[in-house]
Amino acid sequence: PSSLGSICLLAAAISRSSGVYPSCHVAVWLLQHMPCALSQALNMCAVCCRYLGGVLDFTGELNRHAVACATRRDSAAVARCRDIVDALMGQFLQFDLRNGALRKKFDSLKYTLKKLEVTAACDILVAG
């Protein structure tokens, strides 16, 4: 790999590899031949993981906001919150998240969406 983008693709391939040996072999090769670029790629991946984690945490805050809106009988705001979380769910479904912190947060996104759907349905029943 000659560019940071190529290294990121290789890092993604490493994370998807099924065995420990291929990952270790590639990582050792990168450390020997491109330590600076590997360091940049790993830092960029860490920043991306923190950002995605923050987005997933944000959905929990949207759920709390939707509950507050539902108590004020603001059905439109509840629907907007549900729509945002639903759109984020669609985007996160495109990732291949393995076991780890992001996977746990993604699982909480699924439950948040279910809670928002229930909140929206209850809000409709109360308003109707």
Side-chain angles (χ1 to χ4, degrees):
S2 59
S3 70
L4 188 56
S6 299
I7 292 170
C8 286
L9 290 174
L10 184 56
I14 290 170
S15 71
R16 287 191 301 270
S17 70
S18 58
V20 174
Y21 176 74
S23 299
C24 293
H25 182 70
V26 172
V28 167
W29 184 89
L30 283 171
L31 284 171
Q32 291 171 343
H33 295 89
M34 304 183 80
C36 182
L38 177 64
S39 174
Q40 290 174 348
L42 292 176
N43 286 337
M44 190 170 74
C45 290
V47 169
C48 289
C49 286
R50 284 195 302 271
Y51 175 79
L52 293 174
V55 170
L56 289 165
D57 288 340
F58 168 70
T59 62
E61 298 303 321
L62 272 178
N63 184 43
R64 287 187 258 301
H65 177 68
V67 169
C69 291
T71 59
R72 293 191 312 267
R73 306 275 197 275
D74 188 353
S75 300
V78 174
R80 279 193 308 270
C81 290
R82 185 197 62 230
D83 292 344
I84 290 169
V85 172
D86 188 42
L88 287 171
M89 175 67 125
Q91 293 300 311
F92 273 95
L93 284 172
Q94 297 178 30
F95 288 102
D96 182 21
L97 299 173
R98 304 290 173 135
N99 292 336
L102 277 180
R103 177 57 194 230
K104 290 177 184 176
K105 289 183 180 209
F106 173 72
D107 290 341
S108 71
L109 171 63
K110 292 187 277 188
Y111 297 118
T112 298
L113 183 57
K114 286 181 185 178
K115 287 187 258 182
L116 279 167
E117 288 170 348
V118 168
T119 301
C122 290
D123 191 48
I124 290 170
L125 288 173
V126 170

